[in-house]
Amino acid sequence: MAKIELINICKKYKDETVIDDLNLTIKDGSFTVLVGPSGCGKSTTLRMIAGLETATGGEIRIGGKRVNDTAPGHRDVAMVFQNYALYPTMTVRGNIEFGLKNRGVAKAEREKLIAEIAEIVGLDQLLDRKPQQLSGGQRQRVALARAMVKKPKVFILDEPLSNLDAKLRNQMRTELIQLHRRLGTTFVYVTHDQVEAMSMGDEIVVMHQGVIQQADTPMKLYHEPANLFTAQFIGTPAMNVLDTRDAAGLSLESESTVAKLGFRPEQAVFDWGGMHEGYRLTGEVMTRESLGAENIYQIKAPGGVFFVKTFLEPLREEQTVRVVVPYEQLYYFGPDGKRLYGVRVQERQLAAAGGV
Amino acid sequence: MTAWEKLRPYGMVAPSIIIFSMFFIYPIFYMIYLSFYDWNFVSPDKTFVGLQNFKDLLTDEDFRQVLSNTTLYTLMTVALTTGLSLFLALWLNRKGVFHAFVQGAIFSPHIISLVSISLLWSWLMDPEYGLLNWVIGLFGFEKMQWLSHPETSLVSLVIVAVWKGIGYNTLVFIAGLQSIPADIYEAAALDQSKPWTTFRRIILPMLSPTIFFLVIINMIGSFQVFETIAIMTQGGPVNSTNTLVYYIYENGFRFFKIGYASAAGVILLAIVGLLTIVYFRLLSSRVHYR
C-alpha cells in the first residue's frame, strides 16, 4: 500500500509539451480515476507512474520514495493494459507465473499463489488454456490475475474495460470495485468515460490538455464543479450552459464579469402552476427521450438549446414548455471558465420574474 | 442443373490448368519417365533400363559428394542467413535515418540479378587482384584462395548467398517484430523480465512462425542453388562446389546423360517435396495469435 505523489511533473515530446507542472497526490488505498477526453494526458500520467514513460521534469514518489530512476519492474506497481497485453504463447498459468519466476519465487510458493488467485478471479478451470482460446472477459481476468499475484503496492489500470461489451463492462466494474475493497491497495484507473469514473472512483481527477481541472470526490465534482470544463464533462446529459448575454430577464450582481451560467438538467422544473421561483425559460421541445424511469427533453429557447431531465413522471406532449431553475441551483462562470462564487440575482428582477 | 452449368466452372479454369499442366505437371511426369531410360537427348531411341540410373547414382562417389556439398551448403546458408538477419532485425527495428539507411543498404542485393552478383563476387574474391584479399592484406593476414581452393570454395559461395539473402530475411523479421504489440514488452518490463528473458520466453516464441517460414524458404532455395555455381566455380575445384542442380545440368546438357540427370532430378524433387510437406504440416499445427 502506498501514497503516490506527483510533484511538478512535466512531459515533453521534442517540441510538444503534453504535461506541464502537474501536481497530484493519490491517497493511500484510494480508488483514484483519471478521466478526461482523449489526448488530455491521463494515460501519459499513468504511464509515468508505472515507469513506462520518463518524466521530463519533476518528481514521482511512491510510498514516499522517489522512483524517477527506478525501473518499471522495481516500482512495486502492477498494470492492467487496455488490450490486456497477455503473452500469447504462454498458457494462463504461464502468464500469471512469469512475473513470479522473474522475481525468483520458489516453485511451491508460485503454485500456491496461482491457485489462490485463479480461484479469486474464477480462472481455476482455464489455467492450461492459451489466451487466444479465451473470451474477452476471461482475458481480462487473466490480466487482473497477473497483476494481483505480484501483490503490488499500486494497481494501475489503463482503460481496462473499453474492449468489453456493455453488459460485461458493468459486471467487471462491480467486480473491480469489490476487488479494491478486498485488497485495500491503491488503484489508479484511467478512463475517458465519465460514467465509469463516477461509478467506480472514490477520488476523481479530471484532466484537460495536460492540466488537472479538478481532483475531488464524485459528489463534490458533480455538485461543486470548479470550472466550466468539469461542469460540462461530468453528468449525462452535461450541464446546460448559456451565455449571460442571452439570458433575458436575469440581472446579476457580481464583483467580476459573469460570462456563462449553467444548471443541471435535473434541476430544471416544468413550471406549469407558476409555483416555483427562479430563472424562467420558455422554449420548443425538439426531442423527447423516454428511458423508463427518466425522461430527457431537448428544448430550444431563444438563448440556446438546453436539456431537462425528469424522474418518474409521465412524458410531456406539449410543444412549447416553460421551465424554471431555482436561483440557488444556478452556477456562474467567468470569461476564463472559472467558477464564480458570491453572484447574486438582483432583488428587483427576482420580484419581477416571480410575478409572471 | 444443365450440362452447361456443370461444365462452366471447368471451362473457366481450363486456361490456367492447361498452362500449368504443360509447363509443370507434364515435365515432372516426363522427368520421372525419363529417369527409367538411357537417352542421349538427340537419338530417337530410348533404352529402358529400369532402376539402373538410380542404382548408378547411389553408388556414384561424385553424387554422394554432390549431396553432401548441397546439404552442407544449405545448412550453412540457412543457419547464417536466419541467425544474422534475426540479429540485424532486432537492431534495426527502430526509427531513425541511420537505421532506415542500413535497412535499405542490406536489402539492395536482393534486387540485383544473381549473374551480376556472381561476377562481382568473382572479382572481389580473386586471389590476386580481389578487394577482399587486399583488405585482409591491410591487416597483415595471409591471402586466401577463396573460390580456388577446395577447402574454402563452398564457404565462399555461402558468403555470397548470405550477402544476397540477408536483406530480404531481415525485412521479413522486422515485419514479424513489428507485429508484436508494444504493450507486450511493457508488460514484460513490469514483470521484471530481463532483456534476454523477454527475448527467449516471449519474442522468440512469437516470432516462431516467421522463423519457420524463412528457414523453409531458405532451405528450398539453397537446395536449388545454380547460378552462382555455374558462373563462379562450375562445380570446382575438384567437385568441391558441385551441387544437385548444377550436377543435373552438367549430366543432362553437357554430358547428355538425360536419364541419369532425370533420376537426380527425381531425387531433388523428393527432397524439396518432403521439405514442403513438413512445412505445411508444422504450419497448420501452429496457431497465430490475435
Side-chain angles (χ1 to χ4, degrees), chain B residues 170-231:
Chain B
T170 306
L171 201 71
V172 176
F173 269 130
I174 289 177
L177 282 172
Q178 283 176 353
S179 72
I180 299 175
D183 54 11
I184 297 265
Y185 294 94
E186 294 174 351
L190 282 159
D191 269 343
Q192 283 191 16
S193 178
K194 292 184 184 72
W196 173 242
T197 315
T198 309
F199 176 71
R200 197 171 50 86
R201 295 282 320 275
I202 298 165
I203 307 306
L204 213 53
M206 285 184 83
L207 273 185
S208 61
T210 310
I211 296 172
F212 196 60
F213 164 77
L214 287 175
V215 165
I216 291 290
I217 291 293
N218 289 339
M219 268 179 129
I220 293 173
S222 301
F223 250 101
Q224 302 180 32
V225 60
F226 177 74
E227 291 97 325
T228 44
I229 289 160
I231 294 163

